[in-house]
């Protein structure tokens, strides 16, 4: 299997975030040949403004764009806030979808989404919003499995460590396998 590198973005700024925890579990489950790089700069991105788009934009934005561009794919773990995605995640997507430098880096970038919430419904509604946004950006998204971890407070300790759950782990493995397949399909299709 060719080496694949994925950039993982958590839509939560909380230190003990269940969504960041899911991405750490995914890192631990990654098979040989797959590397998952956890992006930790979401909180340092300035609010999107066309006034800041000159050249490559602010340094934090240029760094995120570079990392997305160099990755084979992206993994986004989103909490659900008010039946949608957090503002900080939307801000990052605004920056990544812009053609300011002639390169909206999320266009045609294979992407997987997942999320965790203490609610009974997980992040199903937030992920629906995220899928709509990514569809508009022309980002191919893994269709199945849908990883919407509900009652996440039962799967994570207070410090954000995963308590262990075979079902969740099997879903994460399947999601990662589908993302690898999507990147290979992209390569075969000759998508830039």
């Amino acid at each position: 299997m060719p080496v694949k590198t994925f950039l993982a973005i958590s839509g939560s700024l909380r230190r003990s975030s269940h969504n960041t925890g899911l991405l750490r579990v995914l890192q631990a489950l990654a098979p040989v040949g797959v590397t998952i790089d956890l992006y930790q700069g979401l909180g340092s991105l300035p609010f999107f403004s066309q006034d800041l788009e000159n050249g490559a934009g602010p340094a934090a934005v240029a760094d995120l764009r570079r990392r997305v561009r160099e990755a084979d794919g992206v993994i986004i773990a989103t909490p659900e806030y008010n039946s949608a995605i957090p503002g900080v995640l939307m801000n990052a997507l605004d920056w990544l979808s812009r053609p300011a430098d002639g390169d909206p880096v999320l266009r045609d970038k294979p992407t997987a989404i997942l999320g965790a919430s203490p609610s009974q419904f997980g992040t199903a509604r937030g992920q629906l919003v995220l899928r709509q946004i990514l569809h508009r950006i022309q980002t191919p998204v893994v269709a199945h499995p849908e990883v919407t971890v509900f009652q996440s407070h039962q799967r994570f300790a207070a410090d954000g460590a995963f308590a262990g759950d075979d079902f969740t782990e099997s879903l994460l493995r399947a999601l990662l396998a589908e993302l690898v397949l999507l990147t290979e399909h992209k390569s075969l299709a000759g998508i830039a």
Side-chain angles (χ1 to χ4, degrees), residues 48-66:
F48 175 77
S49 169
Q50 286 182 293
D51 293 339
L52 299 177
E53 285 191 295
N54 297 330
V61 172
D63 177 60
L64 176 57
R65 284 180 173 164
R66 176 192 57 78

PDB file of all heavy atoms in Angstrom, residues 48-66:
ATOM      1  N   PHE A  48     -11.978  35.265   9.131  1.00  0.00           N
ATOM      2  CA  PHE A  48     -11.883  35.482   7.707  1.00  0.00           C
ATOM      3  C   PHE A  48     -12.297  36.898   7.344  1.00  0.00           C
ATOM      4  O   PHE A  48     -13.307  37.410   7.809  1.00  0.00           O
ATOM      5  CB  PHE A  48     -12.756  34.492   6.931  1.00  0.00           C
ATOM      6  CG  PHE A  48     -12.763  34.797   5.465  1.00  0.00           C
ATOM      7  CD1 PHE A  48     -11.681  34.461   4.680  1.00  0.00           C
ATOM      8  CD2 PHE A  48     -13.810  35.489   4.894  1.00  0.00           C
ATOM      9  CE1 PHE A  48     -11.652  34.778   3.336  1.00  0.00           C
ATOM     10  CE2 PHE A  48     -13.802  35.808   3.553  1.00  0.00           C
ATOM     11  CZ  PHE A  48     -12.718  35.462   2.767  1.00  0.00           C
ATOM     12  N   SER A  49     -11.480  37.522   6.499  1.00  0.00           N
ATOM     13  CA  SER A  49     -11.794  38.836   5.950  1.00  0.00           C
ATOM     14  C   SER A  49     -11.108  38.950   4.598  1.00  0.00           C
ATOM     15  O   SER A  49      -9.915  38.648   4.483  1.00  0.00           O
ATOM     16  CB  SER A  49     -11.284  39.954   6.868  1.00  0.00           C
ATOM     17  OG  SER A  49     -11.373  41.199   6.206  1.00  0.00           O
ATOM     18  N   GLN A  50     -11.850  39.374   3.596  1.00  0.00           N
ATOM     19  CA  GLN A  50     -11.247  39.559   2.281  1.00  0.00           C
ATOM     20  C   GLN A  50     -10.120  40.590   2.335  1.00  0.00           C
ATOM     21  O   GLN A  50      -9.214  40.552   1.515  1.00  0.00           O
ATOM     22  CB  GLN A  50     -12.292  39.976   1.260  1.00  0.00           C
ATOM     23  CG  GLN A  50     -13.184  38.826   0.858  1.00  0.00           C
ATOM     24  CD  GLN A  50     -14.196  39.233  -0.184  1.00  0.00           C
ATOM     25  OE1 GLN A  50     -15.078  40.026   0.094  1.00  0.00           O
ATOM     26  NE2 GLN A  50     -14.040  38.693  -1.380  1.00  0.00           N
ATOM     27  N   ASP A  51     -10.158  41.479   3.311  1.00  0.00           N
ATOM     28  CA  ASP A  51      -9.092  42.480   3.450  1.00  0.00           C
ATOM     29  C   ASP A  51      -7.754  41.840   3.798  1.00  0.00           C
ATOM     30  O   ASP A  51      -6.705  42.450   3.594  1.00  0.00           O
ATOM     31  CB  ASP A  51      -9.453  43.508   4.521  1.00  0.00           C
ATOM     32  CG  ASP A  51     -10.632  44.384   4.120  1.00  0.00           C
ATOM     33  OD1 ASP A  51     -10.914  44.484   2.898  1.00  0.00           O
ATOM     34  OD2 ASP A  51     -11.269  44.956   5.019  1.00  0.00           O
ATOM     35  N   LEU A  52      -7.772  40.626   4.317  1.00  0.00           N
ATOM     36  CA  LEU A  52      -6.538  39.942   4.719  1.00  0.00           C
ATOM     37  C   LEU A  52      -6.028  38.971   3.664  1.00  0.00           C
ATOM     38  O   LEU A  52      -5.059  38.260   3.882  1.00  0.00           O
ATOM     39  CB  LEU A  52      -6.760  39.174   6.025  1.00  0.00           C
ATOM     40  CG  LEU A  52      -7.164  39.990   7.244  1.00  0.00           C
ATOM     41  CD1 LEU A  52      -7.423  39.081   8.428  1.00  0.00           C
ATOM     42  CD2 LEU A  52      -6.093  41.023   7.574  1.00  0.00           C
ATOM     43  N   GLU A  53      -6.691  38.920   2.505  1.00  0.00           N
ATOM     44  CA  GLU A  53      -6.370  37.911   1.511  1.00  0.00           C
ATOM     45  C   GLU A  53      -5.211  38.270   0.579  1.00  0.00           C
ATOM     46  O   GLU A  53      -4.900  37.487  -0.305  1.00  0.00           O
ATOM     47  CB  GLU A  53      -7.593  37.605   0.643  1.00  0.00           C
ATOM     48  CG  GLU A  53      -8.610  36.771   1.355  1.00  0.00           C
ATOM     49  CD  GLU A  53      -9.656  36.261   0.389  1.00  0.00           C
ATOM     50  OE1 GLU A  53     -10.406  37.085  -0.167  1.00  0.00           O
ATOM     51  OE2 GLU A  53      -9.704  35.045   0.180  1.00  0.00           O
ATOM     52  N   ASN A  54      -4.586  39.370   0.751  1.00  0.00           N
ATOM     53  CA  ASN A  54      -3.471  39.735  -0.131  1.00  0.00           C
ATOM     54  C   ASN A  54      -2.379  38.679  -0.063  1.00  0.00           C
ATOM     55  O   ASN A  54      -1.997  38.230   1.010  1.00  0.00           O
ATOM     56  CB  ASN A  54      -2.899  41.104   0.263  1.00  0.00           C
ATOM     57  CG  ASN A  54      -3.928  42.206   0.093  1.00  0.00           C
ATOM     58  OD1 ASN A  54      -4.802  42.118  -0.765  1.00  0.00           O
ATOM     59  ND2 ASN A  54      -3.825  43.240   0.913  1.00  0.00           N
ATOM     60  N   GLY A  55      -1.896  38.276  -1.222  1.00  0.00           N
ATOM     61  CA  GLY A  55      -0.843  37.259  -1.271  1.00  0.00           C
ATOM     62  C   GLY A  55      -1.344  35.952  -0.707  1.00  0.00           C
ATOM     63  O   GLY A  55      -2.448  35.502  -0.990  1.00  0.00           O
ATOM     64  N   ALA A  56      -0.538  35.332   0.123  1.00  0.00           N
ATOM     65  CA  ALA A  56      -0.899  34.046   0.730  1.00  0.00           C
ATOM     66  C   ALA A  56      -1.786  34.227   1.945  1.00  0.00           C
ATOM     67  O   ALA A  56      -2.269  33.254   2.506  1.00  0.00           O
ATOM     68  CB  ALA A  56       0.365  33.287   1.119  1.00  0.00           C
ATOM     69  N   GLY A  57      -1.989  35.482   2.371  1.00  0.00           N
ATOM     70  CA  GLY A  57      -2.797  35.739   3.554  1.00  0.00           C
ATOM     71  C   GLY A  57      -1.950  35.673   4.812  1.00  0.00           C
ATOM     72  O   GLY A  57      -0.720  35.562   4.754  1.00  0.00           O
ATOM     73  N   PRO A  58      -2.594  35.717   5.974  1.00  0.00           N
ATOM     74  CA  PRO A  58      -1.860  35.644   7.246  1.00  0.00           C
ATOM     75  C   PRO A  58      -1.039  34.353   7.352  1.00  0.00           C
ATOM     76  O   PRO A  58      -1.396  33.335   6.759  1.00  0.00           O
ATOM     77  CB  PRO A  58      -2.983  35.678   8.283  1.00  0.00           C
ATOM     78  CG  PRO A  58      -4.135  36.322   7.586  1.00  0.00           C
ATOM     79  CD  PRO A  58      -4.028  35.900   6.153  1.00  0.00           C
ATOM     80  N   ALA A  59       0.034  34.413   8.127  1.00  0.00           N
ATOM     81  CA  ALA A  59       0.952  33.273   8.246  1.00  0.00           C
ATOM     82  C   ALA A  59       0.239  31.997   8.696  1.00  0.00           C
ATOM     83  O   ALA A  59       0.503  30.914   8.161  1.00  0.00           O
ATOM     84  CB  ALA A  59       2.091  33.616   9.203  1.00  0.00           C
ATOM     85  N   ALA A  60      -0.667  32.093   9.672  1.00  0.00           N
ATOM     86  CA  ALA A  60      -1.368  30.898  10.155  1.00  0.00           C
ATOM     87  C   ALA A  60      -2.232  30.285   9.049  1.00  0.00           C
ATOM     88  O   ALA A  60      -2.339  29.061   8.933  1.00  0.00           O
ATOM     89  CB  ALA A  60      -2.232  31.243  11.369  1.00  0.00           C
ATOM     90  N   VAL A  61      -2.822  31.124   8.220  1.00  0.00           N
ATOM     91  CA  VAL A  61      -3.645  30.648   7.106  1.00  0.00           C
ATOM     92  C   VAL A  61      -2.760  29.994   6.046  1.00  0.00           C
ATOM     93  O   VAL A  61      -3.069  28.922   5.534  1.00  0.00           O
ATOM     94  CB  VAL A  61      -4.472  31.796   6.499  1.00  0.00           C
ATOM     95  CG1 VAL A  61      -5.176  31.354   5.222  1.00  0.00           C
ATOM     96  CG2 VAL A  61      -5.466  32.328   7.520  1.00  0.00           C
ATOM     97  N   ALA A  62      -1.648  30.641   5.729  1.00  0.00           N
ATOM     98  CA  ALA A  62      -0.725  30.082   4.735  1.00  0.00           C
ATOM     99  C   ALA A  62      -0.216  28.716   5.177  1.00  0.00           C
ATOM    100  O   ALA A  62      -0.105  27.789   4.363  1.00  0.00           O
ATOM    101  CB  ALA A  62       0.442  31.044   4.500  1.00  0.00           C
ATOM    102  N   ASP A  63       0.067  28.567   6.469  1.00  0.00           N
ATOM    103  CA  ASP A  63       0.531  27.286   6.997  1.00  0.00           C
ATOM    104  C   ASP A  63      -0.545  26.211   6.860  1.00  0.00           C
ATOM    105  O   ASP A  63      -0.270  25.094   6.415  1.00  0.00           O
ATOM    106  CB  ASP A  63       0.939  27.433   8.467  1.00  0.00           C
ATOM    107  CG  ASP A  63       1.366  26.110   9.077  1.00  0.00           C
ATOM    108  OD1 ASP A  63       2.341  25.506   8.578  1.00  0.00           O
ATOM    109  OD2 ASP A  63       0.697  25.661  10.034  1.00  0.00           O
ATOM    110  N   LEU A  64      -1.791  26.533   7.221  1.00  0.00           N
ATOM    111  CA  LEU A  64      -2.882  25.567   7.100  1.00  0.00           C
ATOM    112  C   LEU A  64      -3.102  25.189   5.648  1.00  0.00           C
ATOM    113  O   LEU A  64      -3.231  24.003   5.318  1.00  0.00           O
ATOM    114  CB  LEU A  64      -4.167  26.124   7.710  1.00  0.00           C
ATOM    115  CG  LEU A  64      -5.408  25.238   7.571  1.00  0.00           C
ATOM    116  CD1 LEU A  64      -5.184  23.846   8.171  1.00  0.00           C
ATOM    117  CD2 LEU A  64      -6.615  25.925   8.191  1.00  0.00           C
ATOM    118  N   ARG A  65      -3.116  26.158   4.753  1.00  0.00           N
ATOM    119  CA  ARG A  65      -3.297  25.858   3.329  1.00  0.00           C
ATOM    120  C   ARG A  65      -2.186  24.948   2.808  1.00  0.00           C
ATOM    121  O   ARG A  65      -2.447  24.002   2.073  1.00  0.00           O
ATOM    122  CB  ARG A  65      -3.326  27.147   2.513  1.00  0.00           C
ATOM    123  CG  ARG A  65      -4.619  27.908   2.626  1.00  0.00           C
ATOM    124  CD  ARG A  65      -4.568  29.170   1.805  1.00  0.00           C
ATOM    125  NE  ARG A  65      -5.861  29.824   1.783  1.00  0.00           N
ATOM    126  CZ  ARG A  65      -6.046  31.064   1.408  1.00  0.00           C
ATOM    127  NH1 ARG A  65      -5.031  31.811   1.013  1.00  0.00           N
ATOM    128  NH2 ARG A  65      -7.259  31.595   1.407  1.00  0.00           N
ATOM    129  N   ARG A  66      -0.950  25.228   3.214  1.00  0.00           N
ATOM    130  CA  ARG A  66       0.181  24.396   2.783  1.00  0.00           C
ATOM    131  C   ARG A  66       0.009  22.962   3.269  1.00  0.00           C
ATOM    132  O   ARG A  66       0.189  21.998   2.519  1.00  0.00           O
ATOM    133  CB  ARG A  66       1.496  24.973   3.318  1.00  0.00           C
ATOM    134  CG  ARG A  66       2.733  24.123   2.993  1.00  0.00           C
ATOM    135  CD  ARG A  66       3.973  24.564   3.766  1.00  0.00           C
ATOM    136  NE  ARG A  66       3.802  24.555   5.204  1.00  0.00           N
ATOM    137  CZ  ARG A  66       3.840  23.462   5.968  1.00  0.00           C
ATOM    138  NH1 ARG A  66       4.031  22.263   5.426  1.00  0.00           N
ATOM    139  NH2 ARG A  66       3.667  23.542   7.267  1.00  0.00           N
TER     140      ARG A  66
END
